[in-house]
Amino acid sequence: IEEERRLAAELDRRQREQDHADQLAQREQEDMTEQATLDAQQEASNKSIGIAMHVLLGRVPSEDPEALLAAVNRVYPSINTNTDGLLTYEEFEKAIYQTDVVVPEENMKQAFHSFDLDQNGGLSTVEFSAMAAQLLPRSRPSSQSGQTESPSAPDTPHKNTSHRKAPKATLAKAGASAF
């Protein structure tokens, strides 16, 4: 009888260990799934911000640093409305809303703050250029003679219907072009 009790206790212990291992494996799988979902959402958000910046800056290839810097230097003064040399979050948000590309506010804040490298609450032209270089859609080879083309309108998310949209006069004045 004592041996049966010992075997039963050993089986019970092994079952608890197996149950615990199964729970850990399930939690790990759930964590990996959650992280993959968050990564996919962040990637989609970055793509939306990149498309908005593409609209804002015009058809500038992200792979051409000189053209990118020229576009930033052309547009930046018109979106830095307080003319202090630093693009505030509010100015950035207004510029993104002017493009009519839907970008969730939390994602805009996250992108803005991640490129505010000196953490001074604003984006300099250098930081804004870095953001554009990182988030602008990459050109892809065209079907003709190896040239590249910029992303087309079908990649653009649905139009922003937010009541916070600002007039497009600033963009037009800056010479930004839509798709």
Side-chain angles (χ1 to χ4, degrees), residues 53 57 65 68-73 76-77 79-80 85-87 111-112 114-118 120 122-135:
M53 292 190 75
L57 296 174
L68 181 59
L69 187 58
V72 167
N73 287 334
Y76 188 90
I79 61 177
N80 178 226
L86 287 177
L87 191 63
F112 180 88
S114 69
F115 284 94
D116 181 11
L117 301 178
D118 55 12
N120 65 354
L123 298 180
S124 66
T125 55
V126 172
E127 292 167 326
F128 187 71
S129 296
M131 177 187 271
Q134 182 72 34
L135 297 179

Side-chain angles (χ1 to χ4, degrees), residues 24 33 42 92 119 165 167:
L24 289 176
T33 301
Q42 185 62 45
F92 173 71
Q119 300 298 305
K165 276 195 318 190

Side-chain angles (χ1 to χ4, degrees), residues 44-45 47-49 52 96-97 99-105 108 156-162:
S45 175
K47 183 176 181 181
S48 295
I49 294 170
I96 295 298
Y97 277 123
T99 68
D100 283 336
V101 177
V102 175
V103 180
E105 185 173 356
M108 262 192 288
T156 305
H158 299 316
K159 295 288 184 177
N160 185 349
T161 57
S162 170

Side-chain angles (χ1 to χ4, degrees), residues 4 6 12 26 37 56-57 71 100 113 119-120 137 143 160:
E4 289 176 2
R6 189 186 65 73
D12 187 49
Q26 183 177 355
T37 300
L56 187 66
L57 296 174
D100 283 336
H113 293 296
Q119 300 298 305
N120 65 354
S143 56
N160 185 349

